[in-house]
Amino acid sequence: MNIYAQILIDEAKRRGIRVTVIDEAAGMFILEHGEKRIRCRESLTDRTSAVAMTICENKALTRRLLKREGFSVPEQVVLSRGAKPEEVRSAAETHLEKWGSAVVKPLRGEQGTGITVDVSAPDEVERAFRFAAQCGDEVVLEQYVRGRDLRIIAIDHSFVAAIERTPARVTGDGRHTVRQLAEEANRKLQEQTGGEARIPLDGETRRVVRQSGFDLDAVPPAGKTVPLRKTANFHTGGTIRDVTDQVSPRLRKIAEEASRILDIPVVGFDFIVPDFTGERYAIIEANERPGLANHEPQPTAERFIDFLFPETKERTQERAG
């Protein structure tokens, strides 16, 4: 099983919960205790309704519902994959004038697929639109919010953990090209994540590298950091750092309240914030199947099993004692 399923299976087994694997490749399994039987796909379970999953899958719908309740969210416009080039350019010109820069992404998607971040020219938006349109029927043009990327986990509508996510980058050694450094980073990622994460060497990576004044075949000076991506997703090589203890009470409360509005019991919210200890924020997305393994050593697996099987909490407390 992948690391996101295995961490939950291990915790269930420690509590005497029966585990039956349905499909290893998909990370699907069944947990049974007494008369209770719950199907899981990693952290997505029978306890998440089809309606809640539909909301989270649709980035524009997530935004509308949160905005209606007064949460801070970026501005958006949704374009059809079949939009004519002049329609895309017109939307880009109109909104870039207000926003300065934009994010272009599929309306539905995960793990950073099809996303282009921080585009400030209509030509760039058109290219990013074509890239995103390969991944779905609708494309979101969204206001780019600058700040630090914060993933917050809420389980049973309670704050559990948070990580800062940093986009993939390499540091020059004065001898190897950006491409070689990225390939070496990918070899390490392959070993560390079992193939779960990889930095794509695609058009978006070339664009980000060019913004730093290099190309993939350039040799950056020793000590020079070269960004490779602007999305901080773990699956595209982003790095993560636990910041659970730094998150302000206000941001914790916002995540808990947003989970109730979306009526989703296990969720990962993507926030952009200027400061983890402050109150300003923008909620970018809600993820219905967050990777709880990314938050170790925080007790995300324990809280997940507590939520599904509260009757087994005593066994956890006995082990701790």
Side-chain angles (χ1 to χ4, degrees), residues 57-316:
E57 283 184 327
N58 186 317
K59 296 175 175 62
L61 179 56
T62 301
R63 176 193 171 277
R64 289 201 302 271
L65 293 180
L66 292 178
K67 180 178 174 61
R68 186 178 302 161
E69 297 297 327
F71 292 91
S72 177
V73 293
E75 294 185 26
Q76 274 184 358
V77 61
V78 179
L79 301 172
S80 166
R81 180 171 64 181
K84 297 178 180 178
E86 55 268 27
E87 294 174 328
V88 176
R89 174 168 282 272
S90 176
E93 291 174 346
T94 298
H95 293 287
L96 287 176
E97 185 177 352
K98 293 187 294 182
W99 303 339
S101 189
V103 176
V104 184
K105 58 188 179 182
L107 181 69
R108 294 177 174 84
E110 58 183 6
Q111 299 179 354
T113 304
I115 298 178
T116 306
V117 175
D118 191 12
V119 289
S120 55
D123 288 346
E124 289 183 322
V125 171
E126 289 184 63
R127 286 192 292 272
F129 173 85
R130 292 193 294 271
F131 179 47
Q134 297 173 20
C135 303
D137 293 333
E138 293 177 290
V139 174
V140 173
L141 180 62
E142 180 178 275
Q143 177 188 12
Y144 176 51
V145 180
R146 299 183 186 277
R148 301 171 76 174
D149 190 305
L150 179 67
R151 164 65 64 89
I152 292 181
I153 298 294
I155 298 177
D156 198 17
H157 309 303
S158 295
F159 171 89
V160 176
I163 52 175
E164 179 181 18
R165 307 189 304 173
T166 303
R169 59 189 62 193
V170 293
T171 302
D173 60 7
R175 296 180 293 111
H176 294 91
T177 66
V178 174
R179 186 190 306 276
Q180 290 169 332
L181 294 168
E183 289 172 346
E184 177 59 25
N186 275 334
R187 280 192 287 274
K188 292 179 181 178
L189 283 171
Q190 177 76 25
E191 295 173 359
Q192 294 168 356
T193 69
E196 288 288 332
R198 180 175 178 79
I199 305 165
L201 299 181
D202 57 11
E204 173 60 3
T205 297
R206 289 191 292 272
R207 182 186 74 89
V208 173
V209 171
R210 282 198 302 270
Q211 284 186 336
S212 298
F214 296 94
D215 61 48
L216 288 179
D217 296 315
V219 177
K224 175 67 176 179
T225 298
V226 181
L228 300 179
R229 308 290 287 187
K230 293 212 170 182
T231 53
N233 301 73
F234 174 75
H235 289 84
T236 54
T239 57
I240 55 181
R241 180 175 70 93
D242 180 67
V243 294
T244 300
D245 294 339
Q246 300 176 38
V247 175
S248 69
R250 172 62 174 162
L251 295 180
R252 294 176 183 222
K253 185 178 179 181
I254 289 294
E256 293 172 348
E257 292 177 348
S259 74
R260 292 188 180 94
I261 293 301
L262 302 183
D263 195 20
I264 185 164
V266 180
V267 61
F269 285 109
D270 292 343
F271 280 62
I272 299 295
V273 300
D275 181 2
F276 304 139
T277 63
E279 298 192 356
R280 293 171 52 204
Y281 72 94
I283 299 178
I284 306 300
E285 294 181 11
N287 300 271
E288 76 281 358
R289 184 168 52 94
L292 301 185
N294 293 339
H295 294 266
E296 289 189 298
Q298 297 299 329
T300 51
E302 290 93 330
R303 297 295 83 80
F304 177 82
I305 299 299
D306 286 349
F307 164 63
L308 296 180
F309 299 95
E311 67 276 14
T312 67
K313 281 186 180 181
E314 289 184 3
R315 297 190 182 188
T316 303

